[in-house]
Amino acid sequence: MVVAIVGVGLIGGSMAIALKEKGIASKVLGVEASEQHAKQAKELNLVDEIVSLNEAVEQAKLIVLATPVDAEEALLPEIFKNLDQQVVMDVGSIKQKVIDVISEHPKRGRFVATHPMWGTEYSGPEAAVKGAFVNKATVICDKENSDADALELVKGIYDALDMRMVYMSADEHDIHVAYVSHISHITSFALANTVLEKEREEDAIFTLASGGFESTVRLAKSNPSMWVPIFMQNRDNVLDVLNEHISQLRKFKACLEKENYDYLQELIENANKIRRIIK
Amino acid sequence: MVVAIVGVGLIGGSMAIALKEKGIASKVLGVEASEQHAKQAKELNLVDEIVSLNEAVEQAKLIVLATPVDAEEALLPEIFKNLDQQVVMDVGSIKQKVIDVISEHPKRGRFVATHPMWGTEYSGPEAAVKGAFVNKATVICDKENSDADALELVKGIYDALDMRMVYMSADEHDIHVAYVSHISHITSFALANTVLEKEREEDAIFTLASGGFESTVRLAKSNPSMWVPIFMQNRDNVLDVLNEHISQLRKFKACLEKENYDYLQELIENANKIRRIIK
């Protein structure tokens, strides 16, 4: 089948590779706002052809929307203007606001809202990799609002990609990702700024930084064009979690200030319970 | 040469493996406060024999102190009571307070204060691994206060272990590690507590947690018996960095509250500069 990838970056590009590899896409059309990324996507053979959004909607049976979430909001009404029986799936990090855009549209059923839980701190077509999604989870939101055939098509694709499908409402999804993804990015950005602000001896960091530092700070390399729209769209949930996180940090601060090391021990023992959740 | 490892855990155990492997230690004596760890250290062949601290000091040419830093403070005077021409090196995460314990001792020169920049979130003899230190940095502090032969012995060992040696004062060391190690651990502990406190649906975290979450939270599995003493000994530096970190997080919070997304973009762009420091 002909598949159009709208936004051929880290996720869209990796999806293009996977769909070709699994024989799902006979032809991949790329829609790309950045000329440089369009050129790279062609050169890297991620897509067979770069076309306009209208051409993509006209020619493809499946349209995969893989842009930053603000562009999703802008592009969805355009896509739906010319939509017939094609299936549109998105792979964005926030679901409610995007769904809201077309929730009243008569063709709402052609849309399947998904979020494959994979990414790296890199972006653009050159960041796309083979085998990106294997054994990862993917969320499908508000599935009861998608047409049965559209949902089946998307499920078949994620199945072929060896992903575990998880179903939840867009609302629930947006709360959970604030915890498992968005707050990690904020702490990492803030940690990078802390170090860059106060530690003037960058040579020392460079020399001494070991695995622990690298793993907590690597997300700070993530692209603002992707993340600012995510934080905008998930503002309320992110603020909730961020407030809780700051108050958790203040407990550590209070322990040190008051030299209350018994409570510090308790806080760390409690944090150790995360072993229940991550191996 | 006969080497005594005092504290046969993650670091001491990995050091024992490396010293045997490189032919530096003909015999490894283990000193271990925990009976269970002593038993494991023997069973895992990390040490040839478990002995008392006094026996270790008497028989070994080199004594490697690899306990949590509070135990270091307690054990150093004991070791120095019976010290002749043996060399004592430590591998602890904090240097000033430990050096202070023996700085006025007539045998101060027999001590070499070091900190190999390697670790994992696991602890105990079973966490010890082969090849732990290869290509990592190791800090040697206040080297001018160590006897020339003692320093040469320790340099030769780190050289054989393929480590890059970095020299600095204990004071500088303790500031730098607050940035490159201690704050990462605090943010990770606090992040774990944030999630455990507010996100009641642990199944959802378990299902959705991807690489980003795991990498920022994995340090939260670290052992409080190691970390409470580190935070105690480096209290002032850690508080400085933690205060800065909380104020950096507040900037993100203010951006979201005021919906000032231009400034949010700036904050993230600034954080991206960490690419200069970590690859």
Side-chain angles (χ1 to χ4, degrees):
Chain A
M1 105 183 109
V2 177
V3 176
I5 307 274
V6 183
V8 195
L10 168 71
I11 304 296
S14 301
M15 192 59 85
I17 294 171
L19 294 177
K20 270 271 173 110
E21 190 196 7
K22 297 292 178 185
I24 295 164
S26 54
K27 187 177 185 181
V28 175
L29 306 173
V31 180
E32 181 48 66
S34 147
E35 264 184 51
Q36 195 203 347
H37 284 185
K39 199 164 160 271
Q40 289 171 341
K42 272 287 290 186
E43 282 167 5
L44 294 163
N45 282 319
L46 299 176
V47 301
D48 296 304
E49 217 175 301
I50 292 287
V51 299
S52 71
L53 186 64
N54 284 342
E55 287 167 334
V57 174
E58 201 176 293
Q59 293 172 40
K61 189 180 166 192
L62 170 71
I63 298 134
V64 180
L65 190 50
T67 63
V69 289
D70 55 341
E72 273 199 65
E73 278 193 273
L75 294 173
L76 263 183
E78 290 303 308
I79 293 170
F80 271 72
K81 256 185 212 163
N82 304 310
L83 205 67
D84 185 24
Q85 286 307 303
Q86 305 93 311
V87 173
V88 183
M89 67 184 270
D90 87 317
V91 291
S93 304
I94 292 297
K95 302 268 65 90
Q96 192 62 63
K97 295 258 164 143
V98 167
I99 290 174
D100 285 348
V101 172
I102 45 101
S103 59
E104 301 300 319
H105 197 284
K107 291 265 168 75
R108 163 67 182 92
R110 307 315 296 160
F111 183 63
V112 185
T114 85
H115 181 198
M117 301 302 295
W118 176 84
T120 74
E121 64 272 37
Y122 305 107
S123 56
E126 292 181 326
V129 293
K130 196 182 141 157
F133 308 102
V134 178
N135 291 329
K136 302 288 185 270
T138 187
V139 186
I140 298 182
C141 289
D142 296 351
K143 71 174 157 65
E144 59 287 0
N145 298 330
S146 297
D147 293 346
D149 70 304
L151 187 62
E152 281 313 304
L153 181 75
V154 171
K155 282 166 70 173
I157 288 171
Y158 282 130
D159 208 37
L161 265 52
D162 294 317
M163 299 193 80
R164 272 175 293 122
M165 278 164 271
V166 184
Y167 302 95
M168 55 181 77
S169 69
D171 205 41
E172 284 175 296
H173 167 274
D174 290 357
I175 293 173
H176 293 317
V177 289
Y179 285 98
V180 301
S181 168
H182 304 173
I183 189 68
S184 292
H185 282 81
I186 289 188
T187 58
S188 199
F189 291 132
L191 194 56
N193 286 343
T194 302
V195 170
L196 292 165
E197 176 67 27
K198 292 258 286 187
E199 167 66 291
R200 296 300 175 188
E201 295 183 46
E202 292 188 0
D203 282 355
I205 309 177
F206 186 76
T207 310
L208 300 183
S210 58
F213 183 70
E214 290 206 16
S215 74
T216 46
V217 167
R218 80 174 170 83
L219 299 180
K221 295 186 264 181
S222 304
N223 193 338
S225 350
M226 173 176 170
W227 282 96
V228 171
I230 290 176
F231 295 139
M232 278 173 79
Q233 290 200 7
N234 208 22
R235 174 176 173 265
D236 296 349
N237 291 323
V238 172
L239 264 176
D240 268 2
V241 183
L242 182 52
N243 279 324
E244 176 66 27
H245 183 58
I246 291 173
S247 85
Q248 290 292 343
L249 279 171
R250 282 222 196 87
K251 292 184 192 175
F252 282 86
K253 185 184 160 181
C255 285
L256 288 170
E257 281 172 345
K258 296 176 187 158
E259 306 196 52
N260 184 348
Y261 297 114
D262 290 337
Y263 188 38
L264 184 60
Q265 171 93 17
E266 266 179 52
L267 289 177
I268 296 178
E269 282 170 1
N270 191 64
N272 285 170
K273 291 181 189 154
I274 202 74
R275 290 182 191 138
R276 282 202 311 253
I277 303 178
I278 60 170
K279 279 149 288 174
Chain B
M1 104 182 114
V2 177
V3 177
I5 305 275
V6 183
V8 194
L10 169 70
I11 305 295
S14 301
M15 192 61 83
I17 295 171
L19 294 177
K20 269 271 173 109
E21 191 195 6
K22 297 292 177 185
I24 295 165
S26 53
K27 188 176 185 182
V28 175
L29 306 174
V31 180
E32 181 49 64
S34 147
E35 262 184 53
Q36 194 202 349
H37 284 186
K39 196 162 161 273
Q40 290 172 339
K42 273 284 291 181
E43 282 168 3
L44 294 163
N45 281 319
L46 299 175
V47 300
D48 297 303
E49 217 176 300
I50 292 287
V51 298
S52 71
L53 186 64
N54 285 342
E55 287 166 332
V57 174
E58 200 176 295
Q59 292 172 40
K61 191 183 164 191
L62 171 71
I63 298 133
V64 179
L65 190 50
T67 64
V69 290
D70 54 341
E72 274 200 63
E73 279 193 273
L75 294 173
L76 262 183
E78 289 303 308
I79 292 171
F80 270 71
K81 256 185 211 161
N82 305 311
L83 205 67
D84 184 24
Q85 286 308 301
Q86 305 93 312
V87 173
V88 183
M89 67 184 272
D90 88 316
V91 292
S93 303
I94 293 296
K95 300 269 69 89
Q96 192 64 63
K97 295 258 162 141
V98 168
I99 289 175
D100 285 350
V101 172
I102 46 102
S103 59
E104 302 300 321
H105 196 283
K107 291 264 168 75
R108 163 67 180 91
R110 306 316 296 159
F111 183 63
V112 185
T114 85
H115 181 198
M117 301 301 294
W118 177 84
T120 74
E121 64 271 37
Y122 305 108
S123 56
E126 292 181 327
V129 292
K130 196 182 142 156
F133 306 102
V134 179
N135 290 327
K136 301 290 186 272
T138 187
V139 185
I140 299 183
C141 289
D142 298 351
K143 72 173 155 67
E144 59 286 359
N145 298 331
S146 297
D147 293 346
D149 69 304
L151 186 61
E152 282 314 305
L153 180 77
V154 171
K155 283 165 70 172
I157 288 171
Y158 280 131
D159 209 37
L161 264 52
D162 295 316
M163 299 194 81
R164 276 175 291 122
M165 278 164 270
V166 184
Y167 302 97
M168 55 181 78
S169 69
D171 205 39
E172 285 174 292
H173 167 275
D174 291 357
I175 293 173
H176 292 318
V177 289
Y179 285 98
V180 301
S181 168
H182 305 174
I183 189 69
S184 292
H185 282 80
I186 289 188
T187 59
S188 200
F189 290 132
L191 195 56
N193 285 344
T194 301
V195 170
L196 293 165
E197 175 66 28
K198 292 258 289 188
E199 168 65 292
R200 295 298 176 192
E201 295 183 45
E202 291 187 0
D203 282 354
I205 308 178
F206 185 76
T207 309
L208 300 181
S210 58
F213 183 71
E214 290 205 17
S215 73
T216 46
V217 167
R218 80 173 169 83
L219 298 180
K221 295 184 265 182
S222 303
N223 192 336
S225 354
M226 172 174 171
W227 282 96
V228 171
I230 290 176
F231 295 140
M232 278 174 80
Q233 290 200 6
N234 208 22
R235 174 177 174 264
D236 296 349
N237 291 323
V238 172
L239 264 177
D240 268 1
V241 183
L242 182 52
N243 279 324
E244 176 65 28
H245 183 59
I246 290 173
S247 84
Q248 290 292 343
L249 278 171
R250 281 223 198 86
K251 291 184 192 176
F252 282 86
K253 182 182 161 182
C255 284
L256 288 170
E257 281 173 344
K258 296 173 189 160
E259 306 196 55
N260 184 349
Y261 297 114
D262 291 336
Y263 188 39
L264 183 61
Q265 172 92 17
E266 266 178 54
L267 290 176
I268 296 178
E269 281 170 3
N270 190 66
N272 285 170
K273 291 180 189 155
I274 203 75
R275 289 181 191 139
R276 283 204 309 254
I277 302 178
I278 59 168
K279 280 148 287 174

